[in-house]
Amino acid sequence: MRRIKLTAFIMRAQKMFKKILLMAIVLYFPYGAYAQEQKEEPEALYLEEIVVTATRGEREVWKIPLNVTIITKEDIANSNARTVLDLLYSQEGLKVSDWFGKGTKAEVGLRGFGEAGASNCLVMIDGRRINEIDMSNVDWNQIPLDQVERIEIVRGASGVLYGDNATGGVINIITKSGVGKPRFEAYSSYSSYFGKEGGIAISGGKEQYTYSLRASHSSTDGYRKNSEYSARDFGTKFEFNPKEVVKLSLSGSYHGDRFGLPGWLDGAELESGVKKPTDSDYLDDDAENEDWFTQLSMSLLGKSGYLETGLSFRNRESDSYWLSYGVNSSIDKRESQTWGLREKGVWDWKGKNRLTIGMDLYFTEFLVKTFKADMTPQTKTTINRNTWEAYLVDEFSPFKSIILNLGGRWTRAKYRFDFKDLTGTLESKREEPKKDLEAYHAGISWLLRERNSFFVKVARSFRLPKTDEYFQSGYPAYAIPAKLNEDLQPQKANHIETGVKSNLWSNLSTRLSYFWMDVKDEIYYDKPTWTNKNYPKTRHQGIELGMRFQPVIRLTFEGNYTFTEALFKGGDYNGKEIPAVPMHQASISYNLNLGRGLRLNLNGNYVGERRFVSDLNNKLDRMKDYILWRAKISYQWKEMKIFGGVDNIFNEKYSEYGVTDSTATTKAYYPSPERNFTVGASLSF
């Protein structure tokens, strides 16, 4: 069976690279003569690439005992991405499943957690966590791409520095700051399915302050029926440096959207032609969100370190209208407020020893109200989850070429669930459980030569149960009482990872890592019993390989490959594959600067076969693999830029997300968009 899967992958890879070779020849041909004339030498890659997420402080990437990638502002400008989510498809190890092709219902995971990937991948904006305490996924549209300065991706256990959700890794989205003279920017684009997007920005700064204000709007009818989407966004960021020893930052953003929920389509009906991928059986379902936050941070700088404090507040309202179910139609309204306080102190003794001590406090109140379709109140559930956390990390060099990294974290989480049935059918329910957890890590980086290193890391991480995994609200219409899932325990994982980061030549950068993870009490949804449970033991292991090559200064190749094996160990599903985890993933990008303002980008992503979500017994055939190609051409003249792009060039028919029923007999697909186009322009002065 493994040989058959490997053979199928090799055949798909051969087809993929034949297309790459053909396109590369076609794209390179007009550039060849120009490159011969220029005789320019490629520049060194990643000279002093600095990351802040992996250590919660500035550190060179090649000195960190983890697989880390930085998507820079230059990478963003040269890519064919329209959203933050678009940028993540081509990164090694990341599995993206966008239900409706709009980013509002998308799962992003690392290290083979399948359906629970989003719960094991921490997502932050400027260091502020945005994962919800319930099972709702991150809204990847809440930060428009025009507000993003860079994205840092840290693969592997990060539980010591960040606690909950960081078992698979961390994605930190860092927003733009103003710089230099006052600058005005405006852009507009049009895309398939009557898509429109536009925005404006004002930014600037001097030595003692910077400012940035951005606003945008987007809308589309969507690929499928009832998949329309519209959003409005506003973001601002002010930074003050009144004295050399003090730094203040104030930022905030607002995101509002409304979108259709087209739901799933039956696989048998799609295959027979009864239904088309653009159809929907749920024409009356939709949702709307409002999400805003503000964050204030202050740093006090000293000769041998600094102290940093961050205070944040977030308010999110989410309403879902499930009106396609006849007498069972319902409305769900949710509102949450989260206060966060982060304190951190860093002391550095002449670069030989860096000590970081910090604490994270988060206090969330979550209100859920349900109604009948006619707005008759049904239930009200008030949820509180408060976490108190402290951590310590010591990084020191006993020898010039050796860096040791030791750390630990303690976490206390307290829940409170208060359920009330407003119809008078069910009893009220109140529960107040609490959990104490620890994480640790020990890592070593061996600096072989400049920008070349070898690392090994062992770690322990954890994941807290989501509130709707832990507590089931009652359903008066079915006489189902509210109850606490008392058997559900926090998930714990032991990690070992090792890797090499190499810059043997100035124009070639490579990275290779191997990870092994044994997870105890992995939290999963057991659809046959309609219950969230712990699986006694699962094993995740794999290889991540990435490279960047610049043969000449105007031509850059990037590529990566990920192998992931995620299996149940022991128990009812012993030896079965964890659903929704592709064994093979690969990506390649080709960026060509033709000179005189003309630039071309080509990107191909391969996602291998994987099991349908909830196919725990592996009864069904796997979802088919697919290759997606994207291209973008842009022309810049002074401060004006025009561009055009095409997604899914070869019009692949595919679904990023698929699920089955409790008996594993029905294949439910969420079809992804076919070939589509974008054109646009931007102007700044």
PDB file of all heavy atoms in Angstrom, residues 16 20 57 63 83 107 186 192 201 344 365 382 395 431 469-470 474 517-518 527 548 638 678:
ATOM      1  N   MET A  16       4.191  17.485 -12.462  1.00  0.00           N
ATOM      2  CA  MET A  16       4.351  18.829 -11.923  1.00  0.00           C
ATOM      3  C   MET A  16       5.642  19.463 -12.430  1.00  0.00           C
ATOM      4  O   MET A  16       5.659  20.593 -12.917  1.00  0.00           O
ATOM      5  CB  MET A  16       4.347  18.771 -10.390  1.00  0.00           C
ATOM      6  CG  MET A  16       4.509  20.112  -9.703  1.00  0.00           C
ATOM      7  SD  MET A  16       4.480  19.904  -7.905  1.00  0.00           S
ATOM      8  CE  MET A  16       4.600  21.622  -7.373  1.00  0.00           C
ATOM      9  N   ILE A  20       6.687  22.715 -14.718  1.00  0.00           N
ATOM     10  CA  ILE A  20       7.623  23.725 -14.225  1.00  0.00           C
ATOM     11  C   ILE A  20       8.700  24.002 -15.264  1.00  0.00           C
ATOM     12  O   ILE A  20       9.013  25.152 -15.583  1.00  0.00           O
ATOM     13  CB  ILE A  20       8.281  23.261 -12.914  1.00  0.00           C
ATOM     14  CG1 ILE A  20       7.250  23.182 -11.797  1.00  0.00           C
ATOM     15  CG2 ILE A  20       9.410  24.205 -12.508  1.00  0.00           C
ATOM     16  CD1 ILE A  20       7.775  22.522 -10.551  1.00  0.00           C
ATOM     17  N   GLY A  57      11.994  37.678  21.322  1.00  0.00           N
ATOM     18  CA  GLY A  57      13.022  38.705  21.314  1.00  0.00           C
ATOM     19  C   GLY A  57      13.822  38.554  20.034  1.00  0.00           C
ATOM     20  O   GLY A  57      13.818  37.493  19.406  1.00  0.00           O
ATOM     21  N   LYS A  63      20.472  30.821  14.269  1.00  0.00           N
ATOM     22  CA  LYS A  63      20.914  30.454  15.606  1.00  0.00           C
ATOM     23  C   LYS A  63      19.805  29.856  16.467  1.00  0.00           C
ATOM     24  O   LYS A  63      20.007  29.572  17.636  1.00  0.00           O
ATOM     25  CB  LYS A  63      21.493  31.680  16.316  1.00  0.00           C
ATOM     26  CG  LYS A  63      22.760  32.225  15.668  1.00  0.00           C
ATOM     27  CD  LYS A  63      23.297  33.421  16.425  1.00  0.00           C
ATOM     28  CE  LYS A  63      24.577  33.961  15.790  1.00  0.00           C
ATOM     29  NZ  LYS A  63      25.106  35.140  16.518  1.00  0.00           N
ATOM     30  N   THR A  83      -4.453  37.705  -0.247  1.00  0.00           N
ATOM     31  CA  THR A  83      -4.792  37.681   1.177  1.00  0.00           C
ATOM     32  C   THR A  83      -3.637  37.051   1.954  1.00  0.00           C
ATOM     33  O   THR A  83      -2.733  36.433   1.372  1.00  0.00           O
ATOM     34  CB  THR A  83      -6.068  36.859   1.437  1.00  0.00           C
ATOM     35  OG1 THR A  83      -5.808  35.483   1.106  1.00  0.00           O
ATOM     36  CG2 THR A  83      -7.234  37.377   0.588  1.00  0.00           C
ATOM     37  N   GLU A 107      -8.985  26.466   7.824  1.00  0.00           N
ATOM     38  CA  GLU A 107      -8.157  25.830   8.842  1.00  0.00           C
ATOM     39  C   GLU A 107      -6.710  25.825   8.369  1.00  0.00           C
ATOM     40  O   GLU A 107      -6.419  25.441   7.236  1.00  0.00           O
ATOM     41  CB  GLU A 107      -8.626  24.393   9.083  1.00  0.00           C
ATOM     42  CG  GLU A 107     -10.056  24.280   9.609  1.00  0.00           C
ATOM     43  CD  GLU A 107     -10.521  22.841   9.702  1.00  0.00           C
ATOM     44  OE1 GLU A 107      -9.784  21.955   9.236  1.00  0.00           O
ATOM     45  OE2 GLU A 107     -11.621  22.605  10.220  1.00  0.00           O
ATOM     46  N   ALA A 186      -2.857  54.272  -2.422  1.00  0.00           N
ATOM     47  CA  ALA A 186      -4.214  53.868  -2.799  1.00  0.00           C
ATOM     48  C   ALA A 186      -4.114  52.709  -3.780  1.00  0.00           C
ATOM     49  O   ALA A 186      -3.185  52.658  -4.597  1.00  0.00           O
ATOM     50  CB  ALA A 186      -4.979  55.028  -3.425  1.00  0.00           C
ATOM     51  N   SER A 192     -12.449  37.828 -10.751  1.00  0.00           N
ATOM     52  CA  SER A 192     -13.565  36.984 -11.177  1.00  0.00           C
ATOM     53  C   SER A 192     -14.638  36.940 -10.094  1.00  0.00           C
ATOM     54  O   SER A 192     -14.381  37.216  -8.927  1.00  0.00           O
ATOM     55  CB  SER A 192     -13.057  35.571 -11.466  1.00  0.00           C
ATOM     56  OG  SER A 192     -12.098  35.569 -12.490  1.00  0.00           O
ATOM     57  N   ALA A 201      -4.111  54.369   2.376  1.00  0.00           N
ATOM     58  CA  ALA A 201      -3.246  54.358   3.552  1.00  0.00           C
ATOM     59  C   ALA A 201      -2.450  55.648   3.616  1.00  0.00           C
ATOM     60  O   ALA A 201      -2.073  56.215   2.580  1.00  0.00           O
ATOM     61  CB  ALA A 201      -2.305  53.162   3.510  1.00  0.00           C
ATOM     62  N   LYS A 344       7.282  41.057  30.241  1.00  0.00           N
ATOM     63  CA  LYS A 344       8.492  40.332  29.872  1.00  0.00           C
ATOM     64  C   LYS A 344       9.720  41.148  30.236  1.00  0.00           C
ATOM     65  O   LYS A 344       9.766  42.357  30.037  1.00  0.00           O
ATOM     66  CB  LYS A 344       8.498  40.046  28.361  1.00  0.00           C
ATOM     67  CG  LYS A 344       9.722  39.279  27.876  1.00  0.00           C
ATOM     68  CD  LYS A 344       9.664  39.067  26.363  1.00  0.00           C
ATOM     69  CE  LYS A 344       9.801  40.366  25.607  1.00  0.00           C
ATOM     70  NZ  LYS A 344       9.863  40.173  24.154  1.00  0.00           N
ATOM     71  N   GLU A 365     -14.510  36.463  28.468  1.00  0.00           N
ATOM     72  CA  GLU A 365     -15.925  36.191  28.748  1.00  0.00           C
ATOM     73  C   GLU A 365     -16.623  35.972  27.420  1.00  0.00           C
ATOM     74  O   GLU A 365     -16.498  36.774  26.499  1.00  0.00           O
ATOM     75  CB  GLU A 365     -16.586  37.329  29.506  1.00  0.00           C
ATOM     76  CG  GLU A 365     -18.041  37.027  29.837  1.00  0.00           C
ATOM     77  CD  GLU A 365     -18.680  38.049  30.766  1.00  0.00           C
ATOM     78  OE1 GLU A 365     -17.955  38.953  31.221  1.00  0.00           O
ATOM     79  OE2 GLU A 365     -19.880  37.940  31.029  1.00  0.00           O
ATOM     80  N   THR A 382     -23.181  31.407  29.328  1.00  0.00           N
ATOM     81  CA  THR A 382     -22.092  32.342  29.634  1.00  0.00           C
ATOM     82  C   THR A 382     -20.860  31.526  30.012  1.00  0.00           C
ATOM     83  O   THR A 382     -20.926  30.653  30.881  1.00  0.00           O
ATOM     84  CB  THR A 382     -22.479  33.279  30.789  1.00  0.00           C
ATOM     85  OG1 THR A 382     -23.689  33.970  30.450  1.00  0.00           O
ATOM     86  CG2 THR A 382     -21.378  34.295  31.037  1.00  0.00           C
ATOM     87  N   GLU A 395      19.141  31.321  27.525  1.00  0.00           N
ATOM     88  CA  GLU A 395      19.928  30.996  26.335  1.00  0.00           C
ATOM     89  C   GLU A 395      21.373  31.404  26.598  1.00  0.00           C
ATOM     90  O   GLU A 395      21.646  32.569  26.881  1.00  0.00           O
ATOM     91  CB  GLU A 395      19.370  31.738  25.120  1.00  0.00           C
ATOM     92  CG  GLU A 395      20.038  31.401  23.814  1.00  0.00           C
ATOM     93  CD  GLU A 395      19.462  32.225  22.679  1.00  0.00           C
ATOM     94  OE1 GLU A 395      18.364  31.898  22.190  1.00  0.00           O
ATOM     95  OE2 GLU A 395      20.119  33.214  22.299  1.00  0.00           O
ATOM     96  N   GLU A 431     -20.800  24.783  35.905  1.00  0.00           N
ATOM     97  CA  GLU A 431     -19.593  24.007  36.197  1.00  0.00           C
ATOM     98  C   GLU A 431     -18.405  24.953  36.249  1.00  0.00           C
ATOM     99  O   GLU A 431     -18.346  25.944  35.514  1.00  0.00           O
ATOM    100  CB  GLU A 431     -19.351  22.941  35.114  1.00  0.00           C
ATOM    101  CG  GLU A 431     -20.454  21.904  34.989  1.00  0.00           C
ATOM    102  CD  GLU A 431     -20.380  20.839  36.066  1.00  0.00           C
ATOM    103  OE1 GLU A 431     -19.433  20.890  36.888  1.00  0.00           O
ATOM    104  OE2 GLU A 431     -21.257  19.951  36.087  1.00  0.00           O
ATOM    105  N   GLU A 469     -15.627  21.893  23.178  1.00  0.00           N
ATOM    106  CA  GLU A 469     -15.209  20.500  23.346  1.00  0.00           C
ATOM    107  C   GLU A 469     -15.472  20.048  24.780  1.00  0.00           C
ATOM    108  O   GLU A 469     -15.811  18.881  25.026  1.00  0.00           O
ATOM    109  CB  GLU A 469     -13.716  20.349  23.040  1.00  0.00           C
ATOM    110  CG  GLU A 469     -13.333  20.576  21.593  1.00  0.00           C
ATOM    111  CD  GLU A 469     -11.823  20.599  21.388  1.00  0.00           C
ATOM    112  OE1 GLU A 469     -11.099  21.064  22.297  1.00  0.00           O
ATOM    113  OE2 GLU A 469     -11.373  20.156  20.323  1.00  0.00           O
ATOM    114  N   TYR A 470     -15.326  20.978  25.695  1.00  0.00           N
ATOM    115  CA  TYR A 470     -15.379  20.684  27.130  1.00  0.00           C
ATOM    116  C   TYR A 470     -16.809  20.700  27.685  1.00  0.00           C
ATOM    117  O   TYR A 470     -17.129  19.961  28.618  1.00  0.00           O
ATOM    118  CB  TYR A 470     -14.533  21.722  27.850  1.00  0.00           C
ATOM    119  CG  TYR A 470     -13.909  21.269  29.147  1.00  0.00           C
ATOM    120  CD1 TYR A 470     -13.973  19.953  29.583  1.00  0.00           C
ATOM    121  CD2 TYR A 470     -13.223  22.182  29.941  1.00  0.00           C
ATOM    122  CE1 TYR A 470     -13.381  19.555  30.765  1.00  0.00           C
ATOM    123  CE2 TYR A 470     -12.625  21.803  31.125  1.00  0.00           C
ATOM    124  CZ  TYR A 470     -12.712  20.487  31.530  1.00  0.00           C
ATOM    125  OH  TYR A 470     -12.120  20.090  32.704  1.00  0.00           O
ATOM    126  N   GLY A 474     -27.237  22.705  26.244  1.00  0.00           N
ATOM    127  CA  GLY A 474     -28.435  21.903  26.047  1.00  0.00           C
ATOM    128  C   GLY A 474     -29.206  22.287  24.796  1.00  0.00           C
ATOM    129  O   GLY A 474     -29.066  23.394  24.260  1.00  0.00           O
ATOM    130  N   MET A 517       6.889  13.260  17.178  1.00  0.00           N
ATOM    131  CA  MET A 517       6.033  13.727  18.258  1.00  0.00           C
ATOM    132  C   MET A 517       5.112  12.596  18.706  1.00  0.00           C
ATOM    133  O   MET A 517       4.389  12.029  17.877  1.00  0.00           O
ATOM    134  CB  MET A 517       5.225  14.930  17.755  1.00  0.00           C
ATOM    135  CG  MET A 517       4.296  15.542  18.768  1.00  0.00           C
ATOM    136  SD  MET A 517       3.316  16.966  18.140  1.00  0.00           S
ATOM    137  CE  MET A 517       3.763  17.115  16.449  1.00  0.00           C
ATOM    138  N   ASP A 518       5.142  12.269  19.975  1.00  0.00           N
ATOM    139  CA  ASP A 518       4.175  11.355  20.577  1.00  0.00           C
ATOM    140  C   ASP A 518       3.180  12.183  21.384  1.00  0.00           C
ATOM    141  O   ASP A 518       3.578  12.934  22.289  1.00  0.00           O
ATOM    142  CB  ASP A 518       4.873  10.345  21.495  1.00  0.00           C
ATOM    143  CG  ASP A 518       5.181   9.044  20.778  1.00  0.00           C
ATOM    144  OD1 ASP A 518       4.872   8.934  19.577  1.00  0.00           O
ATOM    145  OD2 ASP A 518       5.737   8.127  21.415  1.00  0.00           O
ATOM    146  N   LYS A 527     -16.981  11.124  15.615  1.00  0.00           N
ATOM    147  CA  LYS A 527     -18.307  11.323  15.030  1.00  0.00           C
ATOM    148  C   LYS A 527     -19.256  10.151  15.251  1.00  0.00           C
ATOM    149  O   LYS A 527     -20.458  10.366  15.444  1.00  0.00           O
ATOM    150  CB  LYS A 527     -18.180  11.625  13.535  1.00  0.00           C
ATOM    151  CG  LYS A 527     -19.359  12.390  12.975  1.00  0.00           C
ATOM    152  CD  LYS A 527     -19.029  13.011  11.636  1.00  0.00           C
ATOM    153  CE  LYS A 527     -20.027  14.078  11.259  1.00  0.00           C
ATOM    154  NZ  LYS A 527     -19.666  14.770  10.005  1.00  0.00           N
ATOM    155  N   ARG A 548      16.067  28.105  -1.308  1.00  0.00           N
ATOM    156  CA  ARG A 548      15.928  29.322  -2.103  1.00  0.00           C
ATOM    157  C   ARG A 548      17.231  29.508  -2.883  1.00  0.00           C
ATOM    158  O   ARG A 548      18.317  29.469  -2.306  1.00  0.00           O
ATOM    159  CB  ARG A 548      15.665  30.526  -1.204  1.00  0.00           C
ATOM    160  CG  ARG A 548      15.497  31.826  -1.988  1.00  0.00           C
ATOM    161  CD  ARG A 548      14.978  32.928  -1.103  1.00  0.00           C
ATOM    162  NE  ARG A 548      14.806  34.169  -1.838  1.00  0.00           N
ATOM    163  CZ  ARG A 548      14.188  35.242  -1.369  1.00  0.00           C
ATOM    164  NH1 ARG A 548      13.681  35.213  -0.152  1.00  0.00           N
ATOM    165  NH2 ARG A 548      14.066  36.326  -2.089  1.00  0.00           N
ATOM    166  N   LYS A 638       7.785  54.420 -11.643  1.00  0.00           N
ATOM    167  CA  LYS A 638       7.888  55.358 -10.531  1.00  0.00           C
ATOM    168  C   LYS A 638       7.035  54.855  -9.370  1.00  0.00           C
ATOM    169  O   LYS A 638       7.271  53.779  -8.852  1.00  0.00           O
ATOM    170  CB  LYS A 638       7.515  56.770 -10.978  1.00  0.00           C
ATOM    171  CG  LYS A 638       8.497  57.348 -12.001  1.00  0.00           C
ATOM    172  CD  LYS A 638       8.165  58.787 -12.355  1.00  0.00           C
ATOM    173  CE  LYS A 638       9.181  59.346 -13.337  1.00  0.00           C
ATOM    174  NZ  LYS A 638       8.905  60.748 -13.712  1.00  0.00           N
ATOM    175  N   THR A 678      -7.463  38.222 -11.719  1.00  0.00           N
ATOM    176  CA  THR A 678      -7.424  39.479 -10.974  1.00  0.00           C
ATOM    177  C   THR A 678      -6.616  40.509 -11.752  1.00  0.00           C
ATOM    178  O   THR A 678      -5.573  40.172 -12.336  1.00  0.00           O
ATOM    179  CB  THR A 678      -6.758  39.290  -9.600  1.00  0.00           C
ATOM    180  OG1 THR A 678      -7.454  38.297  -8.859  1.00  0.00           O
ATOM    181  CG2 THR A 678      -6.773  40.597  -8.802  1.00  0.00           C
TER     182      THR A 678
END
